[in-house]
Amino acid sequence: MKLFMPERVIFEPSSLKYPLGVELYDFFTNNDIEVIKSTSNKTSSFIPGITPITKYTNSKKTILITTMKNKKLDFCSPSADYQFSLVSNCPGSCEYCYLQTTQGEKPSIKVYVNLEDIFQVIKQHIKDEGITTFEVASLGDPLALEHITGSLAKTIEFFGELENAKLRVVTKFSNVDSLLQLKHNGNTRFRVSINTENVIDNFEHNTARLNERIETASKLIAHNYPIGFIVAPIMVYDTWEEDYKDLFTLLYEGFGYKYNHEEITFELIQHRFTARAKDMILQRFPHTKLDMDEEKRMLKWGRYGRFKYVYPKEQSCEIKTFISSLIMDKFPNAKIEYFT
Ligand code: SF4
């Protein structure tokens, strides 16, 4: 897919004190991108837009260069012990995106340039015993910006030298070539996000196509990265069973048969939405085909203090059983880590 380039980049004052901030400043000014040096951390007024749609689309073309101030990492159940971020948000426009309600009305893409501080905080969270796992993609997709920042590569090599910590990355993008030769030491597990062609075509705008994602997984495993797949969000619609069957056939033909399946993991996440997310999605995508009919769902209390709508118990058991059987049919030794 075509690599993303922003229309405008805003630098917060603190960002230019770090080598990566300065490097990015030079890069964007040399590439004829609109660069704004902000004198304060209040930057949303630099992003044009009046309606929810124009605010959203302009924000998705804007990068904010900033610094990560958190010294304490959040837990990241069920996928890892902790989460941290190199970026938040991404240039993709998935209609169902779980970040719709957490990034404000102008969800620009944030890049954190104080990598040394971030690595220091990670080191402080490694447990004395056992392996500590860290998720880097819970608030965005760092691979989507890797051709600009290079910071995922530095993070993979940082983890490559750690003995008791593992990195976990999720992506819907495909530009992994710059990561293939890194000294990762098997400490980074990539999980490629996959879904039916129907879901990708209708809801996952500006992300890599399914065949590109499968090719990405093949390249990574050929370079000895541990690999997994996140099947998310699993949606029930008229032809969902045939479509998910096709998905695993394509995955098997494009990737699966070549490798030892024992090392492959699957994470399964059913589609869910909150009342607030539904409202936001309808403002930004008024013609969305997303099924957000509350009558067909049940309410479940979420860990972020909000009720979310998930499939009713019987239906979610059916989804879990069906998708698990498709996986076991094609990848009998793979590990299904969780269904949620
Ligand atoms: S790729 Fe991930 S972070 Fe980006 S819009 Fe889609 S769901 Fe959200």
Side-chain angles (χ1 to χ4, degrees), residues 190-209:
F190 270 89
R191 292 105 79 225
V192 175
S193 175
I194 54 171
N195 218 318
T196 67
E197 306 248 28
N198 183 315
V199 171
I200 294 175
D201 287 349
N202 281 306
F203 307 119
E204 298 185 354
H205 316 296
N206 306 324
T207 62
R209 302 296 81 197

Side-chain angles (χ1 to χ4, degrees), residues 73 84 118-126 134 158-159:
L73 300 182
F84 71 97
I118 293 170
F119 295 166
Q120 198 51 39
V121 171
I122 289 168
K123 279 187 183 161
Q124 286 160 2
H125 284 74
I126 297 174
F134 294 85
F158 164 72
F159 272 87

Side-chain angles (χ1 to χ4, degrees), residues 225-242:
Y225 278 96
I227 280 293
F229 294 95
I230 294 201
V231 191
I234 303 171
M235 294 188 189
V236 172
Y237 53 90
D238 284 355
T239 56
W240 75 281
E241 284 164 303
E242 288 146 67

